[in-house]
Amino acid sequence: EFDAIPDDTEETLVGAHVHQGAIGTAVDGLRISAKRRDLPWFIGNQITLLLRQDGRAMPRRIAPDVIVYPSLAVAAPTSIAVAQYGPPTLAIEVASPGTAFDSDVNLLDPQGKPRLYARIGVEEYLVFDPTDELLDTPVWALRRGPGGFVPWLPEDDGRWHSTLGVSFAPQGALLRVFDHAGQLVPLSTEFDAMLTERERALAERERQSREQARRIAALEAELRRLRGEAG
């Protein structure tokens, strides 16, 4: 079934800086969301999916930009055999000029990613255009319906809500992730700034505690002196 589908190669995987930045932001946001709920998600960054071919020793190799398995019975895989572990629940592709129309959003070609992901059982498929120039919309998405993939549209809040409990929204060249509580997951730079602010707040509280302890010690010393004089 997958004989005609070409393997993903280094040329198709390694995109421009904006492409890799969008992938990294989505991966970080998903990992932070899972950690906040202590969920055993596996979030893959261009991890290869192996598709078995009957009568052939070598499987087809397809590497979505981002995948999510709610759980995966293998630690730190470099590739995942779909026949053994099943398909990911969510697959995300970041569109680039070389892949957008030939593969990422090509609904007509059996070799295109939409029909491929539908056949292997992916529940949700999202394509993000970081340039906002390749597609008619920053986000093009499908999800599984009774008869196969159907359009996956944003809710009233402008976000694409996943069955995983998180949601997505475009923000410039980035695909931002909102956690299960609907909170925007900070970027790594924003997270670092939050940590720095927290460290400053902790240092200030420690300074105030030391000052309070010093004042209490001085008051206790004065009380002992007055008691001694009252003898």
Side-chain angles (χ1 to χ4, degrees):
E1 183 178 1
F2 304 116
D3 287 357
I5 298 170
D7 291 339
D8 279 329
T9 64
E10 184 175 357
E11 286 73 23
T12 59
L13 290 175
V14 180
H17 175 73
V18 66
H19 183 269
Q20 295 299 321
I23 294 172
T25 297
V27 168
D28 288 347
L30 287 164
R31 287 177 176 167
I32 291 171
S33 297
K35 187 175 182 179
R36 286 176 174 176
R37 288 294 179 99
D38 196 26
L39 298 171
W41 287 2
F42 172 78
I43 297 104
N45 184 341
Q46 297 176 307
I47 295 290
T48 300
L49 300 178
L50 305 178
L51 309 179
R52 187 175 61 192
Q53 302 175 95
D54 291 338
R56 297 193 181 190
M58 297 299 294
R60 289 296 180 192
R61 304 170 63 85
I62 304 297
D65 288 328
V66 183
I67 55 173
V68 180
Y69 280 83
S71 62
L72 190 66
V74 58
T78 57
S79 61
I80 299 171
V82 172
Q84 181 177 359
Y85 296 106
T89 295
L90 170 68
I92 297 175
E93 299 284 1
V94 178
S96 63
T99 64
F101 298 107
D102 290 339
S103 180
D104 294 341
V105 299
N106 191 335
L107 289 166
L108 301 178
D109 192 341
Q111 300 181 31
K113 293 289 178 71
R115 293 179 65 175
L116 167 64
Y117 291 147
R119 291 206 303 277
I120 67 174
V122 172
E123 291 292 326
E124 296 175 327
Y125 174 47
L126 185 150
V127 181
F128 172 59
D129 178 8
T131 66
D132 203 16
E133 296 175 352
L134 298 173
L135 309 178
D136 293 334
T137 175
V139 173
W140 184 93
L142 304 169
R143 69 187 340 161
R144 187 164 297 280
F149 272 162
V150 297
W152 175 12
L153 302 176
E155 301 292 339
D156 292 341
D157 58 11
R159 306 200 302 261
W160 281 256
H161 289 253
S162 168
T163 57
L164 292 166
V166 297
S167 57
F168 305 91
Q171 186 181 86
L174 301 177
L175 181 65
R176 302 299 299 271
V177 178
F178 292 76
D179 66 14
H180 297 77
Q183 300 298 313
L184 178 64
V185 177
L187 301 174
S188 56
T189 52
E190 295 170 339
F191 191 69
D192 291 342
M194 290 169 61
L195 287 177
T196 301
E197 183 62 31
R198 181 172 179 270
E199 290 168 354
R200 285 197 293 267
L202 287 173
E204 176 61 20
R205 283 200 293 269
E206 290 175 358
R207 187 196 66 77
Q208 291 175 357
S209 296
R210 289 194 299 270
E211 179 62 22
Q212 185 178 26
R214 186 193 64 78
R215 290 197 301 267
I216 291 173
L219 289 172
E220 289 176 342
E222 179 65 12
L223 182 59
R224 288 193 297 270
R225 186 186 68 80
L226 292 173
R227 285 174 175 172
E229 289 183 352

